[in-house]
Amino acid sequence: MAETDVRLERVSKHFHDVVAVDDLTLDIERGEFFSLLGSSGCGKTTTLRMVAGLEDTTTGTIYLAGQDVTNLPPFKRNVNTVFQSYALFPHLNVYDNVAFGPRRQHVPEQDVRRRVREMLELVELPGYEKRKPNQLSGGQQQRVALARALINQPRVLLLDEPLGALDLKLRKQMQLELKRIQTEVGITFVYVTHDQEEAMTMSDRIAVMRAGRIEQLGTPEQLYEQPQTRFVASFLGVSNLLAGRLESVEGTHARIMLDNGTLVTAPADGLAAGTSVDVGVRPEKVRLLPSTGSATAGRDLNVLEGSIRDASYVGVSTQYVVRVDEGHDVVVYAQNLETTGSGEQHSVGKRVQLSWKPQHTFVVAHDAIDPDEGTATGGAAHA
């Protein structure tokens, strides 16, 4: 059984009459890259700050490596935090910034030099020892902040949107660097972000948060391929959601009647017959072909008919928006297989057929989504 580095038991945080974190229970395993993902105000940063000791809990217990640290001050917790602002000392050079922690612990200077050298090699900044923070790029400053946080070898490293101040290209590069560094040092990383791509790229597991609670917890693949709620389906990536009613369950398959009368098949997920549901399919799972004039589906294929409303060339694929016959818009990503553009293109107004396999379908209970919560950085939409 995996060792638990961080355990939250029924943790809540109230700011007067506002509930920021609501009865949260969570285990984070040793050596895991774990992300708290959600929109602003969902409670993810407050949760991180309680683990760090920067916020007191209203109720509940926090354990680090099995020790109850709920009432311990930050300096007595074996964690370090990396902030979006980096928080480097501007008057100190890179070497002295990184050496700050060991020196406060009265580590012999010979050991300090060795550890600083190891940390700068880890973050790929050897030779930058004498530079001041204002002589570094944003990405380099972030690497120094990481080195400074890791040099004391904390049990857990907490990262609060550390890439938020970087431009897109550098942010993508640093995502890979962070995962490499975490793999090399083997320390548990707890990462807070509102950016779904960051979380998907780096994390072993992700907790999607909403209104102070965990909406769903799982691996990136589980959350993307098998969302359990309409909120998660809409927040994590682009989802086409079509309203319907679960008619029956036959073995491992569910039969669902969409609002326009089209019957589709999906893997059975435990919902009872007669339940109002949303049938979901990701845009890249949908195949787009010229219309045959009828939407005839079978057990091995779900089919809809519609007309193209918009076509946008986005490099690796073309994004189509198709108005299906019941009035919903469905987003389709068609891969551009040939650089010459000789692949089949579909023009606006053309009648088309959409098809996808039942195993690529997910079903969630139909409920309302706050429009401000149903999207995330990187784009999320529902039809």
Side-chain angles (χ1 to χ4, degrees), residues 96-347:
D96 290 332
N97 263 284
V98 178
F100 182 81
R103 284 172 171 168
R104 287 199 66 184
Q105 296 178 353
H106 306 293
V107 173
E109 194 63 27
Q110 181 179 348
D111 291 336
V112 171
R113 286 196 296 272
R114 174 183 56 81
R115 287 164 63 174
V116 170
R117 183 176 65 251
E118 291 173 351
M119 285 298 105
L120 291 180
E121 288 175 354
L122 177 69
V123 299
E124 299 182 344
L125 284 179
Y128 285 74
E129 289 86 347
K130 295 183 179 180
R131 296 196 188 188
K132 295 287 185 66
N134 64 3
Q135 296 174 311
L136 302 174
S137 69
Q140 290 167 340
Q141 290 182 50
Q142 186 58 267
R143 291 167 190 259
V144 175
L146 275 170
R148 189 180 64 179
L150 289 170
I151 195 168
N152 286 331
Q153 299 175 322
R155 183 72 180 234
V156 178
L157 185 66
L158 309 173
L159 302 103
D160 188 8
E161 307 220 33
L163 308 184
L166 305 180
D167 62 54
L168 179 60
K169 183 177 181 180
L170 187 53
R171 196 158 68 237
K172 289 179 178 294
Q173 178 185 337
M174 284 301 299
Q175 289 169 16
L176 301 177
E177 284 297 298
L178 274 176
K179 183 59 180 175
R180 175 189 64 80
I181 290 168
Q182 191 269 340
T183 301
E184 287 190 24
V185 298
I187 292 175
T188 303
F189 278 27
V190 182
Y191 192 94
V192 160
T193 182
H194 65 276
D195 189 314
Q196 56 181 308
E197 184 178 324
E198 277 186 12
M200 295 279 284
T201 298
M202 297 184 290
S203 308
D204 298 312
R205 288 192 302 154
I206 302 169
V208 180
M209 293 190 67
R210 180 189 187 192
R213 291 177 172 266
I214 294 176
E215 187 85 356
Q216 187 175 345
L217 171 63
T219 65
E221 182 180 2
Q222 288 169 340
L223 296 176
Y224 187 81
E225 300 290 350
Q226 301 165 344
Q228 295 175 356
T229 69
R230 192 168 183 255
F231 173 81
V232 173
S234 294
F235 189 88
L236 202 72
V238 179
S239 289
N240 297 300
L241 297 173
L242 303 170
R245 188 174 183 83
L246 199 153
E247 295 291 310
S248 62
V249 176
E250 301 173 1
T252 60
H253 286 76
R255 292 167 61 82
I256 300 150
M257 186 69 72
L258 300 183
D259 285 354
N260 73 331
T262 301
L263 190 66
V264 298
T265 305
D269 62 355
L271 294 173
T275 306
S276 293
V277 297
D278 284 315
V279 175
V281 61
R282 299 289 187 179
E284 72 277 7
K285 308 288 190 183
V286 182
R287 189 179 182 192
L288 191 151
L289 295 170
S291 173
T292 62
S294 63
T296 304
R299 188 180 181 88
D300 298 325
L301 201 65
N302 292 321
V303 179
L304 293 172
E305 294 272 330
S307 300
I308 294 177
R309 291 187 61 203
D310 183 72
S312 302
Y313 180 83
V314 290
V316 69
S317 64
T318 298
Q319 175 182 290
Y320 294 99
V321 179
V322 179
R323 175 64 56 88
V324 296
D325 289 344
E326 68 268 25
H328 290 293
D329 286 343
V330 173
V331 178
V332 181
Y333 296 157
Q335 189 173 9
N336 297 322
L337 298 176
E338 300 192 24
T339 58
T340 60
S342 59
E344 183 175 12
Q345 300 294 312
H346 302 279
S347 57

Side-chain angles (χ1 to χ4, degrees), residues 83-95:
F83 300 99
Q84 180 176 335
S85 61
Y86 315 139
L88 299 176
F89 299 114
H91 62 289
L92 299 181
N93 62 25
V94 167
Y95 182 97

